[in-house]
Amino acid sequence: MQAIASREYKLMLDAARFAGDEDHLKKAAGALWGELAAIIIPHAISVSGTEDVERKRREVRFFDTADKWLRASDYAFRERVDREADERELTLKFRHPDRFISQDRDMKPADGFESDLKFEEDIKPRFQSLYSFSSNTLVKDDVELGTLEDAAKLYPGLPDSVDEFPESEPLTVVGGLTAYERVVKGTSFKIRNKPEVSAECSLTLWYDSEQGEAPLLAEFSFKYADPDEAYTGKMARRAYGAFVAIVDGLGKWIDAKSPTKTAYVYSTDKR
């Protein structure tokens, strides 16, 4: 059985609250971290780390066929490009609400490619779980994504995991959308003392251009991890209590009508 290496709790926020220049973003993120710390502290051993740390921006694209075969088969196929680091990462992800169906996949990359395999639990309000089995693979710029057959060359277990595999179907960028992603770190909170386990909070923003100031989407998340799935009842209750408190207490920051990142991408494709 695949161990759940991490559990990530996700909540969509009002993107308009983060619209503005760099100074405004820092102030808005700081205000968010401050409110979150006050909400979380009754449910955690301790709360710390309110100084934001920015990751490099990444370009994000999703690939699928014209009839959305991958999405209909519960897969997502994503490309992330970090221009500064000169890295191109492809991710094939299978999600399902049933853990045993989700883990029943061969996600290993083809020979010659190194991959970071992850089996994770994604949790949305109030407490909806999706189990995610993914393979993150660094590839060179000359790796082509013209058809589903190209995806199968990278992930040879893909055709064997479905009843029919239309290998000749062309792949295109879903909605023609390139999202410019920015991740800002902030609050972390301890949910276990020995061994120490902390949940790290992140603010993820998507823009429609590299220099954009009005985010398309804003997502709050926190995640804790153990490669052996050694999650105790106490630490799970602390994380659950914090999540419920955030959902109930974050108020004006939340956008309950906002789609998730993947849902947003597919909503832009009008074919």
Side-chain angles (χ1 to χ4, degrees), residues 35-48 189-190 242 245:
E35 289 197 33
L36 280 167
I39 292 170
I40 291 168
I41 191 60
H43 306 277
I45 297 170
S46 62
V47 178
S48 61
F189 58 100
K190 190 188 297 186

Side-chain angles (χ1 to χ4, degrees), residues 70-268:
L70 284 165
R71 184 162 175 79
S73 303
D74 296 312
Y75 284 95
F77 191 30
R78 182 186 67 206
E79 176 190 59
R80 278 178 173 161
V81 178
D82 186 329
R83 297 296 181 191
E84 291 188 24
D86 193 25
E87 288 184 350
R88 182 187 182 205
E89 179 189 72
L90 298 178
T91 298
L92 182 68
K93 180 178 293 188
F94 180 80
R95 282 179 174 165
H96 201 278
D98 190 307
R99 173 177 179 170
F100 297 96
I101 293 175
S102 183
Q103 70 181 26
D104 187 29
R105 304 279 136 174
D106 178 5
M107 303 297 288
K108 295 188 297 294
D111 292 343
F113 292 94
E114 293 186 5
S115 185
D116 181 15
L117 295 176
K118 295 180 180 179
F119 188 67
E120 305 165 292
E121 183 180 7
D122 292 337
I123 300 160
K124 298 185 293 184
R126 285 195 62 95
F127 198 90
Q128 303 174 51
S129 288
L130 275 178
Y131 295 94
S132 170
F133 200 1
S134 63
S135 180
N136 302 318
T137 309
L138 291 177
V139 299
K140 295 181 179 180
D141 289 340
D142 60 0
V143 170
E144 296 183 358
L145 300 176
T147 65
L148 276 173
E149 185 177 15
D150 291 327
K153 290 177 182 176
L154 289 166
Y155 302 101
L158 176 59
D160 297 331
S161 299
V162 295
D163 292 332
E164 295 182 6
F165 185 71
E167 62 180 24
S168 62
E169 282 292 308
L171 285 175
T172 59
V173 177
V174 179
L177 176 69
T178 296
Y180 294 83
E181 183 179 77
R182 187 173 183 181
V183 180
V184 182
K185 295 291 189 177
T187 299
S188 64
F189 58 100
K190 190 188 297 186
I191 57 175
R192 187 176 183 180
N193 270 324
K194 294 183 180 179
E196 183 175 320
V197 177
S198 289
E200 296 186 351
C201 300
S202 297
L203 170 64
T204 302
L205 302 164
W206 272 15
Y207 300 85
D208 61 3
S209 69
E210 190 171 5
Q211 304 302 324
E213 293 188 351
L216 301 169
L217 294 171
E219 178 193 80
F220 165 77
S221 64
F222 70 81
K223 178 167 68 174
Y224 60 96
D226 187 288
D228 299 317
E229 198 181 324
Y231 306 123
T232 67
K234 279 188 176 181
M235 62 190 290
R237 282 191 292 272
R238 288 179 180 127
Y240 175 82
F243 190 53
V244 171
I246 291 167
V247 172
D248 290 342
L250 207 52
K252 61 189 178 182
W253 292 94
I254 296 174
D255 184 353
K257 295 182 180 180
S258 173
T260 63
K261 298 194 298 293
T262 303
Y264 177 83
V265 170
Y266 276 87
S267 74
T268 65

